[in-house]
Amino acid sequence: MSRISVPTTGRLPSSLRVDPSNPAVSKILNRLSRASLLSIAVDWLDENNQSLASPYLHHSESEYDSEDEDDFNPPARSLSALQELYADLQSRKGSKREVIDRITEGDWRHGLSLYQLAMADLQYLYDHPLSQRWTAYRIAPLKPPNPDAEDDSPPVEDKQSLVIPRFHPSTFLNALQSQVPPDVKAHYSFDRHRILPLLILRIFILDSPYNTSLGLRSSAAATTFDTSRTVYIAFPDASPHVFISKPQSLSTSAASTAGGESKSLRTLIVEGVPKALSRPRQRVTLKATGLVTRNFNELLDRRGSQRTNFAGGGWSIYANEKVKESPLDTTLPTPPLSEEDGDVGEAKRRKRVLSVIERKEERERKRARLVAKARFGESGRVDDGKGLERVDIVVEDPFPDIGGTVEDGEAGDAGETWKPYVRFTLHGSHVFAGIRQLVEHGIIDGERMPGWLTGDEGVSVGAVSCGRIRGYKGSGV
Amino acid sequence: MPSLTLDDEILNLQSQINTLKSQLQIQTSNLLGSPSTEQLITSSTTPAAQKQNLLSRSASQHAHNQQCLYRACAGLTAFRARDPDPNAVDNGAILGLRVEIASRAKFLRPYYVLFNRPFPGSNALRVHRHTIPPSIALVGLANRYLPFPKGEGGGKQDLARFARALRREVVRYHHRLGVVADLRKAAGLGKKRGNGGEEEEEGVEREGKLASITAADAEAKQITIEWADGRAGRLVMGDDGEVVKVVAVGDNGRDRDVVRELLGGATRVEDVAKRLVSARGD
């Protein structure tokens, strides 16, 4: 450890150790379950991680040297002994408290490195995938600035560009570091999501000009750690989008002041990311896409690398890769639901004994299911794991004429129209699956339901005008 | 265990049923599609209602066959669809464009672009929905060839050029993905899953000198190559699969020998794959 701390513009090194008595450490560790704690502890003891997460080992040569009688968690003699110990802890039952004590007071009493804290934090993110709210941004290319123009007009988006932005993690990190002001220190760690095609960058920000342990341990340590924040940025593979999480403060005491600060931190990042992604003569900007959700699957479905980005709702039949549609297959496509019904002869026989009313109900039910299929396609299933948990809609249409049927927006342009301010929020574990179920049960008339209720636009925040959400006369791209 | 064998038997029978069902479908469509069947139907003495039913099915089969023929031969076909949204512009009329993609002697699921006509008093099209992956700059192409009509006669649209350019980009993209897969196969590496996604766990034993070959960007224009001895390199591929640049870095900076060994005068990435195959054969 260096003896003096000089303010620098460097980043916080991963090997920097945080004192285990620090409230942030116990907060991060306490969030994890016992099984997760043990699995990351075993990871820390891996040979490859020794430079960044080495445990406190018993170093003295003689056996009877300085055995501390009061030490509940005596240091282990070797790495392999410790690995065995943790494997043993994994195999038997016990309390979480015991493991945390073992880590903070025993094997890592000399401090947990920032790398370890980052791993623990990311483990929490994997254990609780819905713990963060992500905002999806599109990376849009900008026109190269005109050298002849004298004024500092902001660059315009190059709509005709055929360049797909490329992303290189280490270059990006270097460029991002140069965007961070010198009185703020940040620790970065990249991690690949275990299942999903995502690269997650965790940024841990500390308000201190020093990048040594003094920055973490100074007399004002409590305050510096209080104002520290964690932000995640996720980069989906092969997709020109970025997902940025809402910054989170580690402490609860700073909650009152966190509002404005975290907002400014977010703007700092939203401004810094496109600069870091830009390359000479190829500048990019971030454009908000109106999708805010906690669900990664939904984000990857609507802003990912697949075909589903601009084919939501009923259009998903065009994107469904499971359907084989080879031109060499000349069998006539069967209409939907015909297979289910024609399948069972018994059902048909049973139908014959139904009364007229029951038969009518049966027909209506089938019709509602068909309509739901037509409007939602393959999307909006309860079990598809792609649920939006909150959708905010503002309706800007004039009030429809009472008496007539639901009028199109254009019909109301005759003079005075009453335009109430209507704003509503749909909440739930999977909003559009709920609407689909309502259609399937005939509560919503599926044929007259506006298109934005099927979620085909792929936004969670939007304004409706002329019965359509976002964009001029139908969405387009 | 009798219950297990019974379950197996049921599963077996069910799979047989499914095979027979698909067989039946194929045979039906083959029979209905052949010209001799049509003659048989018209000349037979079956009741009129049944005859009508058969004739209509035969007609729709013929139409479907023709569609399949166009799709197989043209690669770019258009169709009409309807927007289910009751508030859709232009009464929900949609023009669809179907881009056929063949890879490894198989037709893949086609890509679709769906247009509507949102501009009053103009037949100008606008991309409404599409299933083109984000690795292809559809927005840029659409803005080049299908500009919005601005006032009187501004911005002439050219759907044919747009469709050609789009298909060219899509086919190029799939060829580049195919070349990357070929390179991996030639180097004896495991199969890559998905496009631009993460690679599968590879077998522990590798035969060649190359440790990993992956597409480094969304468009699959850059390929990361890692050698087993720790050298890393990057190959930049042009739009049409030509080698633009190769750089390899070893412990002592840039390593030109290993690049020469890899390329050996090859100017196209396919040639590099061929070289790798022959090198392994030796």
Side-chain angles (χ1 to χ4, degrees), chain A residues 202-223:
Chain A
R202 175 186 181 270
I203 307 179
F204 174 80
I205 294 165
L206 198 65
D207 278 346
S208 161
Y210 308 112
N211 71 345
T212 59
S213 56
L214 264 180
L216 302 172
R217 258 204 326 202
S218 63
S219 55
T223 54

PDB file of all heavy atoms in Angstrom, chain A residues 202-223:
ATOM      1  N   ARG A 202     -20.519  -2.891 -14.246  1.00  0.00           N
ATOM      2  CA  ARG A 202     -20.922  -2.315 -12.969  1.00  0.00           C
ATOM      3  C   ARG A 202     -19.993  -1.152 -12.688  1.00  0.00           C
ATOM      4  O   ARG A 202     -18.769  -1.303 -12.735  1.00  0.00           O
ATOM      5  CB  ARG A 202     -20.804  -3.359 -11.867  1.00  0.00           C
ATOM      6  CG  ARG A 202     -21.095  -2.820 -10.472  1.00  0.00           C
ATOM      7  CD  ARG A 202     -20.812  -3.901  -9.454  1.00  0.00           C
ATOM      8  NE  ARG A 202     -21.077  -3.486  -8.096  1.00  0.00           N
ATOM      9  CZ  ARG A 202     -20.179  -2.917  -7.300  1.00  0.00           C
ATOM     10  NH1 ARG A 202     -18.963  -2.663  -7.734  1.00  0.00           N
ATOM     11  NH2 ARG A 202     -20.491  -2.596  -6.059  1.00  0.00           N
ATOM     12  N   ILE A 203     -20.559  -0.005 -12.423  1.00  0.00           N
ATOM     13  CA  ILE A 203     -19.748   1.173 -12.102  1.00  0.00           C
ATOM     14  C   ILE A 203     -20.042   1.548 -10.664  1.00  0.00           C
ATOM     15  O   ILE A 203     -21.192   1.773 -10.292  1.00  0.00           O
ATOM     16  CB  ILE A 203     -20.089   2.360 -13.030  1.00  0.00           C
ATOM     17  CG1 ILE A 203     -19.999   1.935 -14.476  1.00  0.00           C
ATOM     18  CG2 ILE A 203     -19.143   3.512 -12.766  1.00  0.00           C
ATOM     19  CD1 ILE A 203     -20.343   3.042 -15.431  1.00  0.00           C
ATOM     20  N   PHE A 204     -18.998   1.578  -9.859  1.00  0.00           N
ATOM     21  CA  PHE A 204     -19.117   1.923  -8.455  1.00  0.00           C
ATOM     22  C   PHE A 204     -18.432   3.264  -8.300  1.00  0.00           C
ATOM     23  O   PHE A 204     -17.248   3.408  -8.593  1.00  0.00           O
ATOM     24  CB  PHE A 204     -18.435   0.835  -7.627  1.00  0.00           C
ATOM     25  CG  PHE A 204     -18.370   1.132  -6.161  1.00  0.00           C
ATOM     26  CD1 PHE A 204     -19.465   0.927  -5.358  1.00  0.00           C
ATOM     27  CD2 PHE A 204     -17.202   1.593  -5.598  1.00  0.00           C
ATOM     28  CE1 PHE A 204     -19.397   1.186  -4.012  1.00  0.00           C
ATOM     29  CE2 PHE A 204     -17.131   1.860  -4.245  1.00  0.00           C
ATOM     30  CZ  PHE A 204     -18.231   1.659  -3.450  1.00  0.00           C
ATOM     31  N   ILE A 205     -19.190   4.273  -7.881  1.00  0.00           N
ATOM     32  CA  ILE A 205     -18.653   5.635  -7.900  1.00  0.00           C
ATOM     33  C   ILE A 205     -18.453   6.132  -6.486  1.00  0.00           C
ATOM     34  O   ILE A 205     -19.312   5.955  -5.615  1.00  0.00           O
ATOM     35  CB  ILE A 205     -19.596   6.567  -8.678  1.00  0.00           C
ATOM     36  CG1 ILE A 205     -19.599   6.137 -10.136  1.00  0.00           C
ATOM     37  CG2 ILE A 205     -19.146   8.001  -8.581  1.00  0.00           C
ATOM     38  CD1 ILE A 205     -20.711   6.693 -10.924  1.00  0.00           C
ATOM     39  N   LEU A 206     -17.315   6.741  -6.275  1.00  0.00           N
ATOM     40  CA  LEU A 206     -16.940   7.206  -4.954  1.00  0.00           C
ATOM     41  C   LEU A 206     -16.560   8.677  -5.073  1.00  0.00           C
ATOM     42  O   LEU A 206     -15.804   9.053  -5.973  1.00  0.00           O
ATOM     43  CB  LEU A 206     -15.734   6.382  -4.497  1.00  0.00           C
ATOM     44  CG  LEU A 206     -15.388   6.361  -3.030  1.00  0.00           C
ATOM     45  CD1 LEU A 206     -16.502   5.690  -2.259  1.00  0.00           C
ATOM     46  CD2 LEU A 206     -14.099   5.595  -2.840  1.00  0.00           C
ATOM     47  N   ASP A 207     -17.087   9.501  -4.176  1.00  0.00           N
ATOM     48  CA  ASP A 207     -16.761  10.923  -4.220  1.00  0.00           C
ATOM     49  C   ASP A 207     -15.467  11.174  -3.483  1.00  0.00           C
ATOM     50  O   ASP A 207     -15.473  11.597  -2.336  1.00  0.00           O
ATOM     51  CB  ASP A 207     -17.882  11.740  -3.570  1.00  0.00           C
ATOM     52  CG  ASP A 207     -19.020  11.987  -4.521  1.00  0.00           C
ATOM     53  OD1 ASP A 207     -18.814  11.755  -5.724  1.00  0.00           O
ATOM     54  OD2 ASP A 207     -20.088  12.391  -4.075  1.00  0.00           O
ATOM     55  N   SER A 208     -14.366  10.889  -4.094  1.00  0.00           N
ATOM     56  CA  SER A 208     -13.087  11.107  -3.448  1.00  0.00           C
ATOM     57  C   SER A 208     -12.041  11.321  -4.524  1.00  0.00           C
ATOM     58  O   SER A 208     -12.081  10.672  -5.567  1.00  0.00           O
ATOM     59  CB  SER A 208     -12.722   9.891  -2.598  1.00  0.00           C
ATOM     60  OG  SER A 208     -11.346   9.897  -2.334  1.00  0.00           O
ATOM     61  N   PRO A 209     -11.110  12.241  -4.303  1.00  0.00           N
ATOM     62  CA  PRO A 209     -10.091  12.435  -5.335  1.00  0.00           C
ATOM     63  C   PRO A 209      -8.984  11.387  -5.282  1.00  0.00           C
ATOM     64  O   PRO A 209      -8.130  11.351  -6.145  1.00  0.00           O
ATOM     65  CB  PRO A 209      -9.564  13.841  -5.034  1.00  0.00           C
ATOM     66  CG  PRO A 209      -9.854  14.062  -3.597  1.00  0.00           C
ATOM     67  CD  PRO A 209     -11.032  13.232  -3.231  1.00  0.00           C
ATOM     68  N   TYR A 210      -8.963  10.548  -4.268  1.00  0.00           N
ATOM     69  CA  TYR A 210      -7.858   9.596  -4.113  1.00  0.00           C
ATOM     70  C   TYR A 210      -8.265   8.228  -4.623  1.00  0.00           C
ATOM     71  O   TYR A 210      -9.377   7.779  -4.424  1.00  0.00           O
ATOM     72  CB  TYR A 210      -7.462   9.480  -2.644  1.00  0.00           C
ATOM     73  CG  TYR A 210      -7.194  10.808  -2.007  1.00  0.00           C
ATOM     74  CD1 TYR A 210      -8.036  11.307  -1.040  1.00  0.00           C
ATOM     75  CD2 TYR A 210      -6.091  11.553  -2.397  1.00  0.00           C
ATOM     76  CE1 TYR A 210      -7.798  12.529  -0.466  1.00  0.00           C
ATOM     77  CE2 TYR A 210      -5.848  12.786  -1.832  1.00  0.00           C
ATOM     78  CZ  TYR A 210      -6.698  13.275  -0.860  1.00  0.00           C
ATOM     79  OH  TYR A 210      -6.469  14.475  -0.315  1.00  0.00           O
ATOM     80  N   ASN A 211      -7.306   7.549  -5.213  1.00  0.00           N
ATOM     81  CA  ASN A 211      -7.631   6.195  -5.635  1.00  0.00           C
ATOM     82  C   ASN A 211      -6.879   5.162  -4.802  1.00  0.00           C
ATOM     83  O   ASN A 211      -6.631   4.055  -5.235  1.00  0.00           O
ATOM     84  CB  ASN A 211      -7.381   5.996  -7.124  1.00  0.00           C
ATOM     85  CG  ASN A 211      -5.927   5.982  -7.474  1.00  0.00           C
ATOM     86  OD1 ASN A 211      -5.107   6.395  -6.667  1.00  0.00           O
ATOM     87  ND2 ASN A 211      -5.601   5.505  -8.657  1.00  0.00           N
ATOM     88  N   THR A 212      -6.462   5.524  -3.594  1.00  0.00           N
ATOM     89  CA  THR A 212      -5.868   4.537  -2.692  1.00  0.00           C
ATOM     90  C   THR A 212      -6.842   4.272  -1.560  1.00  0.00           C
ATOM     91  O   THR A 212      -7.919   4.861  -1.505  1.00  0.00           O
ATOM     92  CB  THR A 212      -4.553   5.058  -2.111  1.00  0.00           C
ATOM     93  OG1 THR A 212      -4.842   6.265  -1.419  1.00  0.00           O
ATOM     94  CG2 THR A 212      -3.547   5.309  -3.187  1.00  0.00           C
ATOM     95  N   SER A 213      -6.449   3.388  -0.660  1.00  0.00           N
ATOM     96  CA  SER A 213      -7.387   3.004   0.384  1.00  0.00           C
ATOM     97  C   SER A 213      -7.694   4.168   1.314  1.00  0.00           C
ATOM     98  O   SER A 213      -8.665   4.135   2.052  1.00  0.00           O
ATOM     99  CB  SER A 213      -6.832   1.836   1.182  1.00  0.00           C
ATOM    100  OG  SER A 213      -5.576   2.201   1.685  1.00  0.00           O
ATOM    101  N   LEU A 214      -6.852   5.227   1.268  1.00  0.00           N
ATOM    102  CA  LEU A 214      -7.152   6.396   2.098  1.00  0.00           C
ATOM    103  C   LEU A 214      -8.481   7.016   1.702  1.00  0.00           C
ATOM    104  O   LEU A 214      -9.218   7.518   2.534  1.00  0.00           O
ATOM    105  CB  LEU A 214      -6.043   7.438   1.945  1.00  0.00           C
ATOM    106  CG  LEU A 214      -4.971   7.399   3.024  1.00  0.00           C
ATOM    107  CD1 LEU A 214      -3.957   8.477   2.749  1.00  0.00           C
ATOM    108  CD2 LEU A 214      -5.571   7.564   4.400  1.00  0.00           C
ATOM    109  N   GLY A 215      -8.765   6.950   0.407  1.00  0.00           N
ATOM    110  CA  GLY A 215     -10.033   7.491  -0.066  1.00  0.00           C
ATOM    111  C   GLY A 215     -11.208   6.780   0.575  1.00  0.00           C
ATOM    112  O   GLY A 215     -12.278   7.341   0.745  1.00  0.00           O
ATOM    113  N   LEU A 216     -10.974   5.500   0.925  1.00  0.00           N
ATOM    114  CA  LEU A 216     -12.051   4.720   1.533  1.00  0.00           C
ATOM    115  C   LEU A 216     -12.025   4.822   3.051  1.00  0.00           C
ATOM    116  O   LEU A 216     -12.999   4.546   3.710  1.00  0.00           O
ATOM    117  CB  LEU A 216     -11.902   3.244   1.146  1.00  0.00           C
ATOM    118  CG  LEU A 216     -11.906   2.923  -0.329  1.00  0.00           C
ATOM    119  CD1 LEU A 216     -11.550   1.467  -0.544  1.00  0.00           C
ATOM    120  CD2 LEU A 216     -13.270   3.208  -0.912  1.00  0.00           C
ATOM    121  N   ARG A 217     -10.848   5.194   3.611  1.00  0.00           N
ATOM    122  CA  ARG A 217     -10.691   5.035   5.062  1.00  0.00           C
ATOM    123  C   ARG A 217     -10.485   6.345   5.800  1.00  0.00           C
ATOM    124  O   ARG A 217     -10.262   6.336   7.001  1.00  0.00           O
ATOM    125  CB  ARG A 217      -9.480   4.139   5.324  1.00  0.00           C
ATOM    126  CG  ARG A 217      -9.882   2.733   5.682  1.00  0.00           C
ATOM    127  CD  ARG A 217      -8.817   2.077   6.463  1.00  0.00           C
ATOM    128  NE  ARG A 217      -7.494   2.488   6.060  1.00  0.00           N
ATOM    129  CZ  ARG A 217      -6.410   1.759   6.286  1.00  0.00           C
ATOM    130  NH1 ARG A 217      -6.523   0.601   6.873  1.00  0.00           N
ATOM    131  NH2 ARG A 217      -5.226   2.187   5.949  1.00  0.00           N
ATOM    132  N   SER A 218     -10.514   7.440   5.081  1.00  0.00           N
ATOM    133  CA  SER A 218     -10.205   8.714   5.710  1.00  0.00           C
ATOM    134  C   SER A 218     -11.204   9.014   6.830  1.00  0.00           C
ATOM    135  O   SER A 218     -12.185   8.300   7.014  1.00  0.00           O
ATOM    136  CB  SER A 218     -10.259   9.833   4.666  1.00  0.00           C
ATOM    137  OG  SER A 218     -11.559   9.913   4.167  1.00  0.00           O
ATOM    138  N   SER A 219     -10.925  10.075   7.576  1.00  0.00           N
ATOM    139  CA  SER A 219     -11.772  10.386   8.724  1.00  0.00           C
ATOM    140  C   SER A 219     -13.218  10.590   8.291  1.00  0.00           C
ATOM    141  O   SER A 219     -14.152  10.329   9.024  1.00  0.00           O
ATOM    142  CB  SER A 219     -11.261  11.642   9.416  1.00  0.00           C
ATOM    143  OG  SER A 219     -11.194  12.689   8.473  1.00  0.00           O
ATOM    144  N   ALA A 220     -13.346  11.046   7.065  1.00  0.00           N
ATOM    145  CA  ALA A 220     -14.698  11.275   6.559  1.00  0.00           C
ATOM    146  C   ALA A 220     -15.211  10.050   5.812  1.00  0.00           C
ATOM    147  O   ALA A 220     -16.032  10.164   4.914  1.00  0.00           O
ATOM    148  CB  ALA A 220     -14.711  12.490   5.659  1.00  0.00           C
ATOM    149  N   ALA A 221     -14.680   8.883   6.200  1.00  0.00           N
ATOM    150  CA  ALA A 221     -15.014   7.668   5.453  1.00  0.00           C
ATOM    151  C   ALA A 221     -16.519   7.447   5.373  1.00  0.00           C
ATOM    152  O   ALA A 221     -17.039   7.061   4.333  1.00  0.00           O
ATOM    153  CB  ALA A 221     -14.367   6.461   6.109  1.00  0.00           C
ATOM    154  N   ALA A 222     -17.152   7.712   6.497  1.00  0.00           N
ATOM    155  CA  ALA A 222     -18.591   7.447   6.525  1.00  0.00           C
ATOM    156  C   ALA A 222     -19.301   8.249   5.444  1.00  0.00           C
ATOM    157  O   ALA A 222     -20.132   7.721   4.712  1.00  0.00           O
ATOM    158  CB  ALA A 222     -19.150   7.808   7.886  1.00  0.00           C
ATOM    159  N   THR A 223     -18.909   9.515   5.326  1.00  0.00           N
ATOM    160  CA  THR A 223     -19.614  10.342   4.348  1.00  0.00           C
ATOM    161  C   THR A 223     -19.246   9.939   2.924  1.00  0.00           C
ATOM    162  O   THR A 223     -20.110   9.911   2.056  1.00  0.00           O
ATOM    163  CB  THR A 223     -19.292  11.826   4.551  1.00  0.00           C
ATOM    164  OG1 THR A 223     -17.885  11.967   4.526  1.00  0.00           O
ATOM    165  CG2 THR A 223     -19.866  12.322   5.847  1.00  0.00           C
TER     166      THR A 223
END
